[in-house]
């Protein structure tokens, strides 16, 4: 088993070295992306998420509602993270005539609207079911 692990580690190191060798000619344009992502995360995204989480914990006392809102925020953040390169990058090549052009800001807005519509519907269902359950408990 140890020999297999050593072989896999050697293959992984060789693959990483080959990737670094391929990256070497593009290092000047790649380093800002490799460093900028973690710096942007640590200086902007992480404190913002922490403040939103702190505010959410104080404003929404019901655990079920807080869970649904947190899920909506998490899905929105993931969608925004995926959409950033599509929104900021200049076109790297001429448009492909075989593919329809897309309006990425509109697609992002539609995706966020869908996420928050589902979140709002879940919050309404939670509220209604809780009221029904409370009314049944009060009748007995």
């Amino acid at each position: 088993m140890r020999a297999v692990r050593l072989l896999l580690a050697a293959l992984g190191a060789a693959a990483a070295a080959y990737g670094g060798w391929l990256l070497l000619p593009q290092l000047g344009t790649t380093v800002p992306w490799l460093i900028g992502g973690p710096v942007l995360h640590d200086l902007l995204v992480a404190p913002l998420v922490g403040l939103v989480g702190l505010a959410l914990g104080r404003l929404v006392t019901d655990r079920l509602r807080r869970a649904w809102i947190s899920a909506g925020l998490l899905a929105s953040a993931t969608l925004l993270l995926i959409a950033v390169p599509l929104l900021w990058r200049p076109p790297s090549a001429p448009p492909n005539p075989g593919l329809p052009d897309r309006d990425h800001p509109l697609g992002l807005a539609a995706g966020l609207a869908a996420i928050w519509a589902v979140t709002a519907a879940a919050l309404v269902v939670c509220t209604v079911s809780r009221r029904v359950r409370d009314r049944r408990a009060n009748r007995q």
Side-chain angles (χ1 to χ4, degrees):
M1 189 65 163
R2 183 177 177 155
V4 173
R5 287 183 184 165
L6 287 174
L7 177 65
L8 289 175
L11 287 173
Y18 181 65
W21 178 258
L22 292 177
L23 184 65
L24 197 58
Q26 302 169 357
L27 205 55
T29 58
T30 307
V31 167
W33 282 99
L34 294 175
I35 293 173
V39 169
L40 180 68
H41 175 271
D42 291 347
L43 293 179
L44 182 68
V45 176
L48 184 63
V49 168
L51 289 174
V52 168
L54 185 64
L56 183 64
R58 295 194 186 266
L59 293 175
V60 181
T61 57
D62 184 22
R63 294 180 79 191
L64 187 59
R65 287 184 185 144
R66 189 169 50 223
W68 277 106
I69 293 171
S70 297
L73 287 171
L74 181 64
S76 298
T78 304
L79 184 61
L80 285 168
L81 189 65
I82 292 169
V84 164
L86 296 173
L87 297 175
W88 274 355
R89 76 173 174 91
S92 59
N96 187 345
L99 296 175
D101 290 333
R102 292 191 176 113
D103 186 5
H104 293 294
L106 180 63
L108 175 62
L112 290 172
I115 288 170
W116 286 102
V118 169
T119 303
L123 290 171
V124 168
V125 167
C126 289
T127 303
V128 169
S129 66
R130 180 162 288 170
R131 286 183 183 170
V132 168
R133 188 172 54 235
D134 289 344
R135 285 183 187 166
R136 286 182 183 167
N138 287 339
R139 287 183 191 170
Q140 295 175 356

